[in-house]
Amino acid sequence: MTLAELIADTERALLRDAPSRLTEHGVLVLEIGHERAHFEEPSRT
């Protein structure tokens, strides 16, 4: 696994788990930046 893949997997997990961890009015801000292509790849499950 490359560093970019590890980061993308971490971002996906963060987004998946965010609703259960945020307060009712909580906000999550995630900057994807130059790794966008890795982030948009289909999940490897």
Side-chain angles (χ1 to χ4, degrees):
M1 177 178 285
T2 67
L3 179 58
E5 291 170 330
L6 178 60
I7 291 169
D9 286 349
T10 301
E11 292 168 340
R12 286 186 195 98
L14 178 65
L15 291 174
R16 180 192 65 229
D17 297 342
S20 67
R21 297 181 180 271
L22 291 172
T23 62
E24 180 180 355
H25 299 288
V27 176
L28 173 68
V29 177
L30 179 65
E31 180 180 350
I32 304 301
H34 69 280
E35 296 295 339
R36 181 178 178 178
H38 295 287
F39 182 77
E40 292 177 339
E41 290 175 2
S43 179
R44 293 175 303 281
T45 56

